Amino acid sequence: MTELQWTVGKNSLKKALALLMTACIFAMTIVMDVGAAGPGKETEKGNEQKQEQAKGQENAQSPEDGKTPGEGKPITVREIELNKKELNLTEGSTGILIATIIPGYATYQKVRWESDGRVARVKELDDKTAIVTAMSQGTTTIRATINGKEASCTVNVVKAREIAAKSISLSRTSLELKAGGKENLTVRMEPSNATIQNVEWKSSDPAVVAVEDSKRSTIAITAMTKGEATITATVGTMAVSCKVTVGEAVAVQSIRFDKTSLALQTGDKDTLTAAIAPSDAAIQEVEWKSSAPAVAAIQDSGAKMATIQAMGKGEAVITAAAGGKTATCKVKVTSTASITLKTKSASIQAGKTVTIGIAAKNPQQDLVTFTSSDKSIATVSDGGVVKGIKEGSVTITVKTESGAQAAFRVKVVKAATAVLVKRSQTLEVGKTTKIQIDAAASTSSSIKACSSSAPKVASVDNKGVVTAKKSGRATITVTMQDGAKAQFSVTVKKKAPTASVKLVKSKGKVKVGKKMTIKIGKTVPAKDKIKKCVSNKTKVATVNNKGVVTGKKPGKAVITVTMKSGATAKFTVTVKKK
């Protein structure tokens, strides 16, 4: 083979491979568009198979905690991942995003998808799969969320190269539906990679068959009532049609749940699935209702499936209704919630506070509320701080959001009082005094602690004994066992000098009938005066309080001189004959 022949052959092979890849992409686009437009009977069956496969994969995994999936409390989602972090699409093309939930045995498995809808639209195919359709040139982000966890994919959309369609056809040229039934119609084109824009869809009788308001190549049609209508799809100057014959709607004969009763604990979740018979009934969506949402609430309800959340202890009935038929499931919710207080009661004075301590609670993350049975006696804050208002008894109810509760009883008594026998005193340096409590006027007679505002002036011990240190003033604060307080003022003065008296003469002589005067010499204090004088032998000599001694008969007598300061001195007098 020559080099030229090899080159030509190689180019032909490349062209053949390119044509084959284009045909595969077109076929995938048609299938994806069908799923995006709304599931028909075949699509529903395929989704059911996917869900069964997903369930098998999840059950094949081993829970990290060693429990069987679904056993015990709900297993929360830790993470969500997408099969692609970036999609590059042309306008009108599609891509598939598949979410992986970690752990695979998590209780909740339904993913929510979000997009801006302008650059790219996203439509759910099943709980974990979605189809992304490129709408217009630009960049956007598709977000997948579940139980607060999020994963995202960046979608880049570029303009599609315009390829004109030479001919078009419809996926169906005739249809027979029952009133209320739905079906998808798809425009096919030649060549297969032609660019379809602005497909115009029209129903000859919208009252019989309604068409989806869309310019896409695939749309959903809905049979409204008995009759005939023609659906026409127009692309440019080309048009194709499908004749639709609508028969009487198939009535719902019965609804049944996959479970007739549920036993849950607060915080648990479970799912209910409703089956409508016959399978081709016109109505295929049910309305969900709970008789007691505070006990069992309906969350994330779909056409035939809903998640039941156990909210609080009690019983509730879940009802699904469609076409005048109903199915019921009785839900009984028990509570494992509990709360234990550190203490169950307290006694406080009016104006004082006490904090309610929680020893344990289940679940630990539960919020706690506090309620006073009588706010005029005692109030309670959101943090459990109780404040006494006036005398009386009150019950504080401590309750968790899961329904557990406990009672904390509070007795409010009069504010404590402390009255002192003496409120102030003057002391000399070095002297002491003891603070006395007036027991009759106080609520407590027992001292807890004492403190001085100026310990260098006057110190105090916890028994109330005050010691004068140096000149100045100090305030002693007395705290009683019941919290009452009183104040004692102390004035400390310098220590007074020791009083003394010195006589000019300590002895003297006087004749009987004569007089003499005792003379005072130096005194401390300096201006001290005589208070009294006393003779130990008044028959020998008498003395008046001015120190005048009178001789009575021969002999000796001792005169004691007492000053006003308390100082004393002795004077010995000798009485002689005339």
Side-chain angles (χ1 to χ4, degrees):
M1 181 182 290
T2 66
E3 183 177 347
L4 177 60
Q5 289 174 327
W6 164 247
T7 302
V8 172
K10 184 167 65 173
N11 290 338
S12 299
L13 180 60
K14 285 183 178 180
K15 289 180 179 178
L17 289 173
L19 289 173
L20 179 59
M21 289 178 66
T22 301
C24 291
I25 291 170
F26 175 65
M28 288 178 64
T29 301
I30 292 174
V31 174
M32 293 173 185
D33 280 344
V34 170
K41 295 179 181 177
E42 294 179 1
T43 306
E44 289 180 351
K45 183 176 179 181
N47 287 340
E48 290 173 359
Q49 290 175 350
K50 287 182 181 179
Q51 291 171 356
E52 289 299 321
Q53 291 172 359
K55 289 180 180 177
Q57 292 172 358
E58 290 168 7
N59 291 335
Q61 299 182 45
S62 298
E64 296 176 6
D65 58 5
K67 294 183 179 180
T68 301
E71 178 184 340
K73 295 184 177 180
I75 300 172
T76 58
V77 175
R78 292 199 304 270
E79 190 176 350
I80 179 174
E81 295 179 350
L82 294 179
N83 62 321
K84 294 181 179 179
K85 292 188 178 294
E86 186 174 20
L87 274 177
N88 296 308
L89 302 173
T90 58
E91 290 179 338
S93 65
T94 58
I96 292 290
L97 288 179
I98 301 172
T100 300
I101 297 171
I102 302 172
Y105 51 87
T107 302
Y108 192 50
Q109 293 285 319
K110 187 175 181 63
V111 177
R112 293 183 182 275
W113 302 89
E114 294 179 7
S115 71
D116 64 0
R118 183 183 61 82
V119 176
R121 291 180 182 173
V122 62
K123 186 165 185 178
E124 175 186 318
L125 292 180
D126 59 31
D127 284 355
K128 303 176 189 174
T129 309
I131 184 169
V132 180
T133 302
M135 304 303 295
S136 61
Q137 184 177 6
T139 299
T140 189
T141 300
I142 305 296
R143 290 182 173 81
T145 59
I146 182 170
N147 279 16
K149 306 300 180 182
E150 180 181 297
S152 62
C153 173
T154 301
V155 179
N156 303 306
V157 179
V158 297
K159 283 189 174 294
R161 184 168 62 91
E162 298 290 338
I163 300 175
K166 294 181 180 180
S167 65
I168 62 171
S169 62
L170 278 179
S171 56
R172 300 288 293 269
T173 57
S174 65
L175 277 174
E176 291 185 1
L177 297 174
K178 300 292 184 181
K182 291 184 178 182
E183 187 58 88
N184 292 334
L185 285 180
T186 301
V187 171
R188 295 171 177 169
M189 67 201 127
E190 290 295 337
S192 59
N193 62 340
T195 303
I196 293 181
Q197 290 186 355
N198 298 327
V199 180
E200 296 292 339
W201 294 92
K202 185 177 180 181
S203 171
S204 63
D205 192 345
V208 175
V209 181
V211 296
E212 181 183 352
D213 184 14
S214 173
K215 304 291 185 181
R216 294 185 303 163
S217 59
T218 297
I219 65 162
I221 64 172
T222 304
M224 307 300 290
T225 187
K226 184 178 179 180
E228 291 184 349
T230 299
I231 307 302
T232 302
T234 302
V235 179
T237 60
M238 297 175 287
V240 287
S241 62
C242 173
K243 184 179 179 181
V244 182
T245 302
V246 180
E248 292 286 354
V250 177
V252 175
Q253 294 179 5
S254 66
I255 303 176
R256 62 178 179 82
F257 278 137
D258 57 336
K259 303 161 190 171
T260 57
S261 64
L262 289 175
L264 303 174
Q265 292 183 337
T266 52
D268 287 352
K269 290 182 180 180
D270 206 341
T271 57
L272 280 178
T273 302
I276 297 176
S279 59
D280 59 347
I283 298 175
Q284 289 295 317
E285 292 189 6
V286 301
E287 293 182 359
W288 296 90
K289 184 179 180 181
S290 171
S291 64
V295 175
I298 298 171
Q299 295 183 344
D300 303 309
S301 61
K304 297 179 183 177
M305 182 181 290
T307 299
I308 310 303
Q309 169 79 58
M311 305 300 290
K313 185 177 180 181
E315 293 185 355
V317 176
I318 304 301
T319 302
K325 305 296 182 180
T326 60
T328 59
C329 176
K330 186 176 181 180
V331 182
K332 184 176 182 179
V333 180
T334 56
S335 177
T336 57
S338 63
I339 186 167
T340 305
L341 305 183
K342 291 181 179 179
T343 58
K344 295 182 179 180
S345 62
S347 178
I348 60 174
Q349 296 167 3
K352 299 296 183 180
T353 63
V354 63
T355 301
I356 299 174
I358 297 174
K361 62 176 177 175
N362 180 41
Q364 290 187 358
Q365 67 271 20
D366 263 6
L367 294 176
V368 179
T369 58
F370 303 86
T371 307
S372 171
S373 62
D374 192 338
K375 294 180 181 179
S376 67
I377 294 175
T379 60
V380 62
S381 72
D382 291 341
V385 179
V386 182
K387 182 177 181 180
I389 304 299
K390 69 177 183 180
E391 285 184 89
S393 296
V394 68
T395 298
I396 306 298
T397 300
V398 185
K399 189 175 182 179
T400 71
E401 60 183 337
S402 296
Q405 66 181 44
F408 184 80
R409 292 175 178 82
V410 179
K411 183 178 181 181
V412 182
V413 298
K414 281 184 178 180
T417 57
V419 180
L420 306 181
V421 174
K422 280 177 142 185
R423 295 185 180 180
S424 63
Q425 191 172 346
T426 299
L427 295 176
E428 288 184 351
V429 174
K431 298 293 182 180
T432 63
T433 188
K434 186 173 183 179
I435 298 172
Q436 301 292 324
I437 305 299
D438 187 342
S442 305
T443 58
S444 174
S445 59
S446 177
I447 297 175
K448 181 180 180 181
C450 297
S451 62
S452 172
S453 64
K456 291 183 179 180
V457 173
S459 63
V460 63
D461 63 18
N462 285 336
K463 292 182 179 180
V465 177
V466 180
T467 302
K469 297 288 189 179
K470 71 173 186 178
S471 298
R473 292 179 181 273
T475 299
I476 308 299
T477 299
V478 182
T479 303
M480 311 301 287
Q481 294 291 345
D482 57 9
K485 292 185 178 182
Q487 291 187 328
F488 181 79
S489 297
V490 180
T491 301
V492 179
K493 292 185 175 182
K494 289 182 179 179
K495 188 176 180 180
T498 303
S500 64
V501 59
K502 187 175 182 180
L503 304 179
V504 174
K505 291 183 178 181
S506 60
K507 60 183 178 179
K509 295 178 181 180
V510 65
K511 291 182 179 180
V512 175
K514 298 296 182 178
K515 295 181 179 183
M516 67 174 296
T517 300
I518 299 172
K519 293 182 178 180
I520 304 300
K522 186 176 180 181
T523 64
V524 178
K527 294 183 179 181
D528 205 0
K529 302 292 182 179
I530 296 175
K531 183 178 181 181
K532 64 178 180 178
C533 297
V534 178
S535 171
N536 70 336
K537 294 180 180 179
T538 55
K539 290 183 179 181
V540 174
T542 61
V543 63
N544 65 16
N545 287 337
K546 292 183 178 181
V548 177
V549 180
T550 303
K552 295 293 186 179
K553 73 174 187 176
K556 286 187 178 181
V558 177
I559 307 299
T560 300
V561 180
T562 302
M563 308 299 289
K564 288 184 177 180
S565 66
T568 60
K570 303 291 185 180
F571 182 82
T572 304
V573 61
T574 303
V575 180
K576 292 186 176 183
K577 292 180 180 180
K578 291 183 180 180

